[in-house]
Amino acid sequence: MFLKMGAVKRSVFCNLTKGGLLMFCLTLCLFSVGCGKNRFDGKGASSKVVKGGVFNFEDLELETEGSVVSGSLSSSEDLIAVSASVPLDDEYMMAPNDNLYLFDAKTHEIKAQTQTEGRTQTTQIVDDKVYSVEAIDSAEETIYKIYTYDKELNLENSVELDKKFKKEKLNNKNAGISGFLFNSKGELFFTFDNVVVRTDANLEKADLLMVEDVDYLNNFVLDNTGSPVASYCVSVDDNLVNKYCFFDFDKMKLSEPYDLHDGMEGLLNGIGEYVFLEYDYQTIFGVTKDGKQKVFLDYINSNFNKVGDINFCFYDEKNAICYQFENETDRFYTLTKGDDDADAKKTKLTFATMNEDPVIKEAIVDFNRKSKDYKVLYIDLSTAGGPDDTSEMVLNDMVASGDCPDIINFKGYSMDTFLNKDGLIDLEPYIEKDKDLGKDVFIDSVYEGFKTRGKIHTIGYSFSFDTNVASKDKVGDGIIDYDKFFDVIDNLDEDEKILMADCKDSVLSTFVTSRIGEFIDTKKGECYFDSDNFKRLLEVCNSRPMELNEDEMMEIDSVDLIKNDKLLYMNFSGYLENIQAINAIFKNNANYTALPSEKGKGVSLYYNDNIGIYSKCKDKDGAWSFIKEILTEEFQGKNCVYDQLPVRKDVMEEFVKGYMTEEEYTDKYGNKHKPVQGEFSTGNISIPLRPVTQEEVDQFMDLIDTGERYIVVDPKISDIISEEVKKYFNGYKDVDETCIVIQNRVSIYVNENM
């Protein structure tokens, strides 16, 4: 049985030994602790800036002959064991077994190598033995075996877990076995459902302990004595609460349950003074015997960019090796405890983002490494609040408490609350006086799109765009006015759709909510919801069905509808290679700016990051020095791919070359390019794709040149419109009354808040 690469579970469950003492392998890709998404309630460590937890990460070169590490890492004083998946000729497929390597811990050279029978679940070096638990897949079931090797990786013994324990009903058909862990005594633990099993490498005997009244265990690790700890969810007053308990197999009993600290994403094996470790998106915390939480390792403070699953093998509390899957490559590192006060003299700046942002995190790490004067600290607002708190609520609470971040990435959220109170500085003077930037560095329309209320309050390194396409035969060429649009709508066939999702709410979103700039002028503080155009738009919306027919949606295809003149608009998001498909569908007769507008341009520019400096930031020059880093040619050249279009002209020129090439090459930023191939497929239609032409590039760039900033609707304005329009859709009000009420309510809100 072959595995798709995406199906390979990158999980590690293994321990370490050194001179007979227990050393733990810590894995940040175990199970999710939470009964849902956990966030801090404002009292947890991640709601404030984390101090300490500094480790030094250095590259560790371990050659696995091109294999991809699948998730097993172990080490002793003199050896490092690594299991690695074997890719097949098809780069998306993996062989059903792995390569197992032993490296010299000092020279990092391969000492021994063998091919496993199955997929490695864990490896463990204990004294002069190497143990491996492997999963062997067949069409019917998965069989688990435990293998014992010597230090030359010669096989000494193998035992099939399923056969040995079939009478206990632990075979794969009856339970989901997972979480294999060895301790220094040679004991093997694994879990299924709500049970933890203790056995050994020879499976001579088995002891079972069960957590009553729960269906399964969320997380399973070993404490600092080598005994199991597991977390699980229980219902308390109709709320799901995270608990954990200890498994004492010597006395064959469980400890009392304890509450996990708020906001933790998972547990890790204990080490040194810490009974076990727990972690969130940025920090690993040690939990002491009295249940207190201490910072153990913080990635940002350590200038390390955690981008995905990461596995640690700690020799002790100050030394380790680890790896993570990074940029489609497995990267190994050595860790040594660093100086928590090394950056004490640097000015600290806080950076808060509405959602996790790996690319910006990498930029922060790089900046912190290079800067002699500043250190940027990262806060993910989506995980920094309580279970019911939105990122906006957390940010507003921080502002109210006088602890607002210095730099804020709004990432598609409305920033009106800040703009209304002059909470963001104008970045344009910084751009103009910066010798490495200036207005001319940026694509013209993109630069103008940075502006809100006439100033550049936020900026980003990349953008995308979105538009709705229609046939010129139906709507004519160029941007159409509302009279033309309503005339087109009035002449639609009875069974012709306006949009693919052709219901009242979807049409309202496309023509009103997502284009709110048509009806609000924030500079003048004026609204136009009592205009004839808005009234007629509501009537168009109301002419559509109340809800989508989901069965019908599954059976029809937008391209078929276009070709049969049964669909007016087709959405186009800015993938350069797909412009040739749209041209083919519309027979080179497409109007890409077909939405009605009196002052707009029909193409919406979306900034993937909206980064601004808080007006009360005490070191605005320092904050700008970080923002400037994401505007460099090097940064954008490395990070702008697919629909993440660069905001710089020079990087955009290189970007489009990658879609025009007819042979493989590596650009000056280190990105590899292959000729565009494949097909655009939808329904029964397949359109071959090829490298784009200069004419198609020009067409693409013309669309960008006509683009304008997509305005994120203030949620309160959106709520007003939705609330009042719903009454109209349900027949409780007529269109005239609805427009008057919306005009009055939104006008009051705009004048009071904008």
Side-chain angles (χ1 to χ4, degrees):
M1 176 181 178
F2 296 126
L3 299 176
K4 290 186 177 180
M5 184 179 291
V8 175
K9 186 175 182 180
R10 308 182 62 79
S11 299
V12 179
F13 304 92
C14 47
N15 308 312
L16 308 168
T17 59
K18 180 179 179 182
L21 298 176
L22 183 64
M23 295 181 292
F24 294 106
C25 177
L26 312 178
T27 308
L28 269 69
C29 52
L30 301 171
F31 306 101
S32 172
V33 162
C35 307
K37 185 170 185 181
N38 288 298
R39 298 196 186 110
F40 278 90
D41 59 2
K43 300 176 183 178
S46 284
S47 62
K48 300 178 185 286
V49 172
V50 176
K51 296 181 180 180
V54 174
F55 275 79
N56 299 317
F57 287 72
E58 300 291 339
D59 285 332
L60 171 62
E61 298 294 333
L62 296 179
E63 276 294 332
T64 56
E65 299 180 1
S67 298
V68 179
V69 174
S70 60
S72 191
L73 178 68
S74 180
S75 183
S76 66
E77 186 173 15
D78 57 348
L79 292 173
I80 300 171
V82 176
S83 70
S85 296
V86 182
L88 302 175
D89 292 337
D90 184 336
E91 60 181 322
Y92 297 105
M93 303 293 289
M94 308 299 288
N97 51 8
D98 296 337
N99 284 332
L100 180 60
Y101 300 90
L102 279 182
F103 294 91
D104 186 290
K106 295 181 175 61
T107 66
H108 307 149
E109 295 179 352
I110 294 177
K111 293 197 66 174
Q113 176 181 348
T114 191
Q115 194 169 76
T116 65
E117 185 179 359
R119 292 176 292 109
T120 309
Q121 305 300 295
T122 185
T123 57
Q124 171 69 48
I125 304 173
V126 180
D127 297 327
D128 60 346
K129 304 294 183 186
V130 179
Y131 297 107
S132 173
V133 178
E134 298 169 20
I136 303 164
D137 295 314
S138 67
E140 294 77 27
E141 62 181 342
T142 297
I143 296 172
Y144 293 97
K145 287 187 177 182
I146 302 173
Y147 297 79
T148 303
Y149 302 91
D150 64 19
K151 286 196 173 182
E152 300 300 322
L153 291 184
N154 297 307
L155 181 63
E156 294 185 345
N157 187 38
S158 68
V159 185
E160 185 177 320
L161 183 149
D162 300 71
K163 285 184 179 178
K164 196 80 174 181
F165 289 151
K166 189 157 287 193
K167 63 180 181 180
E168 307 260 12
K169 294 187 177 180
L170 302 186
N171 58 303
N172 184 257
K173 292 181 178 179
N174 293 283
I177 297 174
S178 63
F180 296 94
L181 295 168
F182 281 99
N183 66 14
S184 62
K185 302 173 186 177
E187 294 176 325
L188 171 64
F189 301 93
F190 62 89
T191 67
F192 69 94
D193 299 335
N194 61 343
V195 174
V196 174
V197 180
R198 179 180 68 172
T199 182
D200 57 29
N202 295 316
L203 306 180
E204 293 298 333
K205 62 176 183 177
D207 299 314
L208 287 73
L209 284 174
M210 177 186 297
V211 181
E212 300 287 351
D213 301 323
V214 299
D215 294 328
Y216 60 91
L217 304 177
N218 291 332
N219 210 179
F220 164 58
V221 298
L222 298 180
D223 68 14
N224 56 351
T225 69
S227 295
V229 185
S231 67
Y232 49 89
C233 286
V234 296
S235 179
V236 178
D237 297 329
D238 295 327
N239 294 313
L240 291 176
V241 178
N242 290 314
K243 301 277 188 179
Y244 69 91
C245 68
F246 297 92
F247 293 71
D248 186 340
F249 277 94
D250 292 335
K251 297 181 180 179
M252 290 303 296
K253 69 176 185 178
L254 304 178
S255 73
E256 62 179 290
Y258 301 93
D259 289 336
L260 278 174
H261 290 95
D262 291 331
M264 296 296 97
E265 296 180 4
L267 301 182
L268 307 171
N269 292 333
I271 183 75
E273 68 170 303
Y274 300 116
V275 179
F276 61 86
L277 306 180
E278 54 190 2
Y279 64 90
D280 64 11
Y281 67 97
Q282 177 180 314
T283 308
I284 300 174
F285 301 92
V287 178
T288 57
K289 194 177 287 188
D290 58 3
K292 292 183 179 179
Q293 189 187 61
K294 295 182 180 179
V295 174
F296 181 73
L297 185 155
D298 184 83
Y299 297 106
I300 297 296
N301 290 346
S302 300
N303 294 332
F304 182 76
N305 185 30
K306 176 182 175 290
V307 296
D309 297 345
I310 183 167
N311 299 340
F312 292 97
C313 283
F314 273 91
Y315 297 99
D316 51 43
E317 292 174 82
K318 296 183 178 181
N319 298 279
I321 60 174
C322 78
Y323 84 83
Q324 73 170 349
F325 191 66
E326 182 179 331
N327 298 325
E328 301 184 0
T329 303
D330 286 278
R331 295 284 300 275
F332 293 85
Y333 300 90
T334 59
L335 287 77
T336 54
K337 184 70 180 83
D339 182 1
D340 288 343
D341 297 322
D343 294 328
K345 294 182 180 179
K346 289 186 178 182
T347 299
K348 307 300 190 301
L349 298 166
T350 51
F351 178 100
T353 180
M354 293 295 193
N355 293 301
E356 184 180 12
D357 194 326
V359 174
I360 295 297
K361 277 171 61 179
E362 183 177 1
I364 290 173
V365 167
D366 289 342
F367 177 81
N368 289 343
R369 286 173 180 159
K370 294 185 293 185
S371 178
K372 297 179 180 179
D373 302 313
Y374 299 100
K375 187 176 184 73
V376 176
L377 304 175
Y378 176 89
I379 302 172
D380 180 355
L381 296 172
S382 68
T383 61
D388 300 319
D389 292 341
T390 65
S391 298
E392 290 170 304
M393 292 166 64
V394 176
L395 181 57
N396 290 338
D397 287 345
M398 294 177 76
V399 174
S401 67
D403 192 28
C404 186
D406 298 293
I407 310 167
I408 306 167
N409 188 356
F410 291 91
K411 280 190 78 70
Y413 282 72
S414 172
M415 53 191 175
D416 285 344
T417 301
F418 279 77
L419 297 181
N420 298 340
K421 299 178 180 179
D422 295 323
L424 298 172
I425 69 169
D426 185 1
L427 300 178
E428 191 161 23
Y430 289 86
I431 296 172
E432 291 175 342
K433 70 180 182 181
D434 195 306
K435 61 182 179 61
D436 298 320
L437 291 174
K439 177 179 179 180
D440 292 339
V441 165
F442 301 95
I443 297 169
D444 293 342
S445 61
V446 172
Y447 185 83
E448 289 303 311
F450 285 144
K451 296 179 180 179
T452 51
R453 306 186 188 182
K455 297 179 180 179
I456 299 180
H457 295 106
T458 61
I459 201 164
Y461 70 90
S462 67
F463 73 101
S464 55
F465 72 84
D466 180 89
T467 187
N468 279 273
V469 187
S471 170
K472 291 179 183 179
D473 292 337
K474 288 183 174 292
V475 301
D477 198 3
I479 299 168
I480 65 175
D481 60 26
Y482 281 96
D483 287 339
K484 173 65 176 177
F485 170 73
F486 294 130
D487 183 58
V488 170
I489 296 298
D490 289 342
N491 287 284
L492 290 180
D493 292 338
E494 186 174 338
D495 59 347
E496 188 171 356
K497 297 174 177 289
I498 299 176
L499 303 173
M500 188 64 182
D502 201 42
C503 65
K504 298 180 192 295
D505 287 340
S506 294
V507 177
L508 180 72
S509 175
T510 299
F511 293 99
V512 178
T513 314
S514 64
R515 308 181 75 233
I516 204 69
E518 289 285 313
F519 305 102
I520 299 177
D521 189 328
T522 54
K523 292 181 182 179
K524 297 180 180 179
E526 296 179 353
C527 301
Y528 312 107
F529 295 103
D530 56 354
S531 65
D532 288 339
N533 287 338
F534 184 71
K535 181 195 302 184
R536 293 194 66 187
L537 275 179
L538 291 190
E539 290 173 334
V540 170
C541 296
N542 200 36
S543 70
R544 315 323 290 171
M546 182 66 78
E547 296 179 350
L548 292 173
N549 185 326
E550 294 185 6
D551 292 337
E552 180 183 308
M553 288 285 291
M554 294 292 291
E555 296 175 0
I556 60 177
D557 179 75
S558 58
V559 176
D560 286 333
L561 292 176
I562 290 287
K563 292 197 168 200
N564 292 306
D565 287 332
K566 298 302 180 185
L567 178 64
L568 180 58
Y569 286 106
M570 184 175 184
N571 181 262
F572 173 63
S573 297
Y575 288 89
L576 176 51
E577 71 270 31
N578 284 348
I579 202 164
Q580 55 192 286
I582 299 297
N583 287 339
I585 291 167
F586 285 91
K587 300 177 180 178
N588 293 313
N589 196 38
N591 182 344
Y592 283 86
T593 57
L595 290 182
S597 178
E598 286 190 342
K599 54 182 179 179
K601 299 179 180 179
V603 176
S604 296
L605 302 181
Y606 297 85
Y607 296 91
N608 303 310
D609 295 278
N610 292 282
I611 302 173
I613 299 174
Y614 184 44
S615 58
K616 294 183 180 180
C617 171
K618 294 181 179 179
D619 197 326
K620 298 178 178 64
D621 288 338
W624 170 252
S625 69
F626 166 70
I627 292 177
K628 176 184 172 180
E629 287 296 307
I630 68 171
L631 302 176
T632 63
E633 179 183 2
E634 178 184 7
F635 182 85
Q636 292 185 33
K638 176 183 175 183
N639 291 289
C640 293
V641 294
Y642 306 120
D643 66 335
Q644 305 291 300
L645 305 173
V647 300
R648 293 178 61 109
K649 293 176 182 176
D650 49 8
V651 182
M652 179 62 86
E653 290 176 2
E654 293 296 321
F655 180 89
V656 299
K657 288 179 183 177
Y659 287 87
M660 300 175 71
T661 185
E662 296 187 358
E663 57 185 29
E664 292 187 30
Y665 79 101
T666 301
D667 66 24
K668 63 180 181 178
Y669 309 121
N671 302 312
K672 295 181 180 180
H673 298 275
K674 296 180 180 180
V676 173
Q677 57 184 353
E679 57 187 24
F680 177 95
S681 298
T682 174
N684 300 319
I685 306 296
S686 293
I687 300 171
L689 297 177
R690 46 157 177 76
V692 300
T693 64
Q694 184 61 54
E695 182 180 2
E696 288 164 342
V697 169
D698 292 342
Q699 188 178 15
F700 186 80
M701 294 306 299
D702 285 345
L703 287 174
I704 293 173
D705 289 342
T706 62
E708 60 184 350
R709 183 189 188 100
Y710 170 79
I711 299 175
V712 179
V713 185
D714 185 315
K716 293 182 180 178
I717 293 177
S718 180
D719 288 345
I720 292 172
I721 294 173
S722 178
E723 180 184 333
E724 297 302 331
V725 169
K726 183 180 288 187
K727 297 174 185 176
Y728 166 56
F729 287 165
N730 286 310
Y732 299 122
K733 289 184 178 180
D734 63 27
V735 69
D736 292 311
E737 184 180 2
T738 300
C739 291
I740 291 172
V741 173
I742 293 174
Q743 172 71 10
N744 291 338
R745 290 185 63 186
V746 176
S747 294
I748 292 171
Y749 180 79
V750 167
N751 286 311
E752 289 180 349
N753 296 282
M754 294 187 178

